[in-house]
Amino acid sequence: ETGVTQTPRHLVMGMTNKKSLKCEQHLGHNAMYWYKQSAKKPLELMFVYSLEERVENNSVPSRFSPECPNSSHLFLHLHTLQPEDSALYLCASSRAVPTAGTGDEKLFFGSGTQLSVL
Amino acid sequence: ILNVEQSPQSLHVQEGDSTNFTCSFPSSNFYALHWYRWETAKSPEALFVMTLNGDEKKKGRISATLNTKEGYSYLYIKGSQPEDSATYLCAFFPGTYKYIFGTGTRLKVLA
């Protein structure tokens, strides 16, 4: 148990559906992240939030829409996805967004949502 | 484009064997190197965070070394056990909020 909970664990959706992924952290962290894991590719950062403000949108298509209503919750809203968006989506948190002086901020991950887009 | 390479991609060892894998990263703009262990159907968990050239960290049978001048880190497992079976990820931090992950080394320890 890492203190980061993701739901659902598995999701199958059609290209015209709208769905949301949810992440909750119970660690008192100020930074939250969405990562994408595609087969045989490294973990790819999608979004970073620091104290509910988006720090980075890493050139992610607009069909992915993040929301961070407070520092404990993070959502990823999905709409009109493509089959190539099928992947494992991981949420993570850390005490703070790492900077040049704080690169030792460990990431705490959820178990991920395995998404299949048909 | 910053690239992090891990080798080998996968590895099968017998129980009791010692093993090691490599993470290669850019030797410039180094701030930190993280190692994570990721068991199937679970969350990646941090093993080590290394920041100084020459750092050596140890946790039980697992240890790691860091060479920032040549841009590599080694992860060693002594006396591998079946419960060590997992994917081991390294992540390079170049100082700008974003960790750059490698594709991981998948370890299978055979009983």
Side-chain angles (χ1 to χ4, degrees), chain B residues 30-52:
Chain B
F30 176 87
Y31 285 87
L33 193 284
H34 294 215
W35 281 100
Y36 291 85
R37 170 195 160 100
W38 193 0
E39 293 181 65
T40 303
K42 294 189 177 179
S43 318
E45 287 190 37
L47 281 173
F48 304 115
V49 177
M50 310 176 82
T51 55
L52 297 174

Side-chain angles (χ1 to χ4, degrees), chain A residues 29-77:
Chain A
H29 288 169
N30 292 325
M32 295 189 78
Y33 311 76
W34 281 115
Y35 281 89
K36 177 182 178 182
Q37 166 88 84
S38 302
K40 300 195 177 179
K41 288 189 176 180
L43 280 175
E44 179 187 344
L45 180 66
M46 300 176 74
F47 301 104
V48 182
Y49 276 82
S50 176
L51 293 170
E52 303 128 54
E53 287 197 23
R54 191 187 307 180
V55 173
E56 170 69 4
N57 171 354
N58 204 33
S59 302
V60 178
S62 60
R63 58 186 184 268
F64 295 92
S65 174
E67 179 190 0
C68 188
N70 55 63
S71 58
S72 299
H73 294 86
L74 185 65
F75 296 89
L76 188 62
H77 303 301

Side-chain angles (χ1 to χ4, degrees), chain A residues 9-34:
Chain A
R9 289 297 299 269
H10 302 273
L11 180 61
V12 179
M13 59 187 289
M15 291 195 290
T16 57
N17 290 161
K18 289 185 181 181
K19 297 284 183 184
S20 296
L21 310 185
K22 179 183 175 182
C23 177
E24 186 173 357
Q25 58 97 358
H26 313 280
L27 301 168
H29 288 169
N30 292 325
M32 295 189 78
Y33 311 76
W34 281 115

Side-chain angles (χ1 to χ4, degrees), chain B residues 50-68:
Chain B
M50 310 176 82
T51 55
L52 297 174
N53 184 42
D55 252 356
E56 290 190 28
K57 301 267 184 173
K58 188 173 180 183
K59 187 175 184 177
R61 294 178 292 97
I62 305 178
S63 60
T65 61
L66 180 67
N67 183 325
T68 61

Side-chain angles (χ1 to χ4, degrees), chain B residues 3-111:
Chain B
N3 217 27
V4 175
E5 303 282 347
Q6 289 190 248
S7 63
Q9 283 190 346
S10 65
L11 189 57
H12 287 192
V13 301
Q14 290 295 133
E15 182 175 358
D17 286 352
S18 294
T19 187
N20 65 85
F21 356 111
T22 306
C23 173
S24 301
F25 52 85
S27 55
S28 58
N29 294 327
F30 176 87
Y31 285 87
L33 193 284
H34 294 215
W35 281 100
Y36 291 85
R37 170 195 160 100
W38 193 0
E39 293 181 65
T40 303
K42 294 189 177 179
S43 318
E45 287 190 37
L47 281 173
F48 304 115
V49 177
M50 310 176 82
T51 55
L52 297 174
N53 184 42
D55 252 356
E56 290 190 28
K57 301 267 184 173
K58 188 173 180 183
K59 187 175 184 177
R61 294 178 292 97
I62 305 178
S63 60
T65 61
L66 180 67
N67 183 325
T68 61
K69 296 188 186 308
E70 296 182 41
Y72 65 84
S73 175
Y74 293 138
L75 189 80
Y76 299 92
I77 303 179
K78 186 177 177 181
S80 303
Q81 299 297 308
E83 58 265 29
D84 296 327
S85 297
T87 296
Y88 292 83
L89 298 174
C90 68
F92 167 72
F93 180 63
T96 56
Y97 72 80
K98 180 177 174 177
Y99 298 102
I100 313 295
F101 281 85
T103 51
T105 293
R106 183 177 295 182
L107 173 67
K108 176 75 174 173
V109 182
L110 306 169

